Amino acid sequence: GQQVMQIPQYQHVQEGEDFTTYCNSSTTLSNIQWYKQRPGGHPVFLIQLVKSGEVKKQKRLTFQFGEAKKNSSLHITATQTTDVGTYFCAYSGYSSASKIIFGSGTRLSIRP
Amino acid sequence: DVKVTQSSRYLVKRTGEKVFLECVQDMDHENMFWYRQDPGLGLRLIYFSYDVKMKEKGDIPEGYSVSREKKERFSLILESASTNQTSMYLCASSLRGGVAGLVTDTQYFGPGTRLTVL
C-alpha cells in the first residue's frame, strides 16, 4: 500500500535559522496538503499542492511538490518563535478524495 | 468561520466503561472524521462519514464505533474502554470530498478531547 515517510521527526533550530521538513512517498500522490499544529492546539490547514513541480509561497514558507509527485517539502526561511509546532503532510489517494492520510509530523522547536 | 466543537477537552474514564465523544460542526459539511493522535504516530483515522447514517472504517477502527444521525453531529463510541485507548481524539469536518484523484477539501479540526482510561 501507499506509504509516506515524513522526516525529520524533530528539529531544534536557533531562531533565524532555516527549517525544512520532507514527505516522501513510495507511490505517486494525487495531491498533498500541509497542516500546522501549535503546541496544545489542533491541526490547521496551510496549503494544498496538486500539480507536478508546483511551488507555492506563504510569506516565509515555501511549499514544493516534486516533479514525479512522490515527494514534497516545506521550507521556512529565518524561523521565528511563532513557527514552533508540528508540521504534518497529508495526502489522499486516487480512489477517494474524502479520506486523507497524515504523515507522522515534524516537531519544530526554536531557541530564542 | 467554520467551527468544530467537541463535547469535552479532558475526560477520565475507567477500564470497561462505555465512552461517548461528541463532535458538532456548524457549516453544513458533508464529511466528518475521527482521528486519534499519539506521540510519534501522527494522526490516525478511526472512522469517517460522508453522509448521514453513512460511515467507513479508517485505519484503526477496532474497539470503536460511530454514529451520525444528523448531518452536523458525529459521535465516537468506545464500547468498553481500555487503557490502550488513552489518547488525544480529534474530530474534523470537510465540505465535501473534493474530486478523487485531484483535489481534497480542507479539513477543519476541533480542539480535541484528551481521554485517559484508568
Side-chain angles (χ1 to χ4, degrees):
Chain A
Q2 201 163 52
Q3 290 193 352
V4 168
M5 295 289 296
Q6 189 172 353
I7 54 170
Q9 191 173 2
Y10 304 98
Q11 186 90 49
H12 188 58
V13 302
Q14 181 77 42
E15 187 175 13
E17 289 182 343
D18 291 357
F19 160 77
T20 305
T21 173
Y22 302 89
C23 270
N24 299 309
S25 171
S26 56
T27 57
T28 304
L29 303 172
S30 59
N31 59 68
I32 198 153
Q33 299 183 342
W34 286 93
Y35 288 76
K36 176 185 178 181
Q37 184 176 23
R38 293 180 186 275
H42 56 274
V44 174
F45 174 80
L46 293 176
I47 210 157
Q48 178 167 193
L49 304 172
V50 178
K51 299 176 183 175
S52 168
E54 191 169 13
V55 178
K56 289 187 177 180
K57 293 193 174 187
Q58 291 179 350
K59 297 183 180 177
R60 293 178 294 103
L61 276 62
T62 302
F63 304 85
Q64 290 189 313
F65 202 8
E67 292 290 342
K69 299 181 76 173
K70 287 186 175 182
N71 54 70
S72 181
S73 65
L74 157 59
H75 180 82
I76 302 178
T77 303
T79 55
Q80 300 175 359
T81 53
T82 53
D83 296 325
V84 164
T86 301
Y87 294 85
F88 294 97
C89 62
Y91 63 94
S92 62
Y94 279 93
S95 59
S96 169
S98 297
K99 177 182 173 181
I100 69 173
I101 308 296
F102 283 81
S104 54
T106 295
R107 192 163 83 188
L108 172 64
S109 58
I110 296 175
R111 297 188 295 273
Chain B
D1 275 354
V2 175
K3 191 162 185 184
V4 181
T5 57
Q6 295 184 229
S7 48
S8 307
R9 287 303 303 271
Y10 301 94
L11 207 54
V12 179
K13 295 291 182 181
R14 296 205 175 274
T15 301
E17 281 193 77
K18 191 168 186 176
V19 182
F20 292 87
L21 302 182
E22 301 282 333
C23 175
V24 178
Q25 50 92 5
D26 67 353
M27 285 300 292
D28 204 34
H29 282 180
E30 292 184 5
N31 298 325
M32 296 188 75
F33 308 82
W34 275 107
Y35 296 90
R36 63 176 283 176
Q37 183 173 24
D38 301 287
L41 296 177
L43 285 82
R44 292 181 291 167
L45 182 65
I46 303 171
Y47 268 98
F48 74 100
S49 169
Y50 49 90
D51 201 352
V52 174
K53 295 190 185 297
M54 305 302 287
K55 62 186 179 186
E56 277 197 36
K57 293 180 180 179
D59 298 315
I60 51 166
E62 296 79 19
Y64 304 94
S65 61
V66 290
S67 172
R68 194 165 180 203
E69 296 296 318
K70 293 184 178 182
K71 191 173 185 179
E72 67 271 19
R73 189 179 298 268
F74 192 35
S75 302
L76 179 69
I77 303 149
L78 287 66
E79 295 290 341
S80 177
S82 63
T83 54
N84 62 13
Q85 292 178 310
T86 291
S87 186
M88 171 67 84
Y89 289 88
L90 289 159
C91 174
S93 70
S94 66
L95 179 61
R96 54 184 177 274
V99 178
L102 190 60
V103 295
T104 301
D105 272 345
T106 300
Q107 293 204 352
Y108 297 87
F109 284 84
T113 296
R114 186 166 292 282
L115 172 68
T116 302
V117 182
L118 302 176

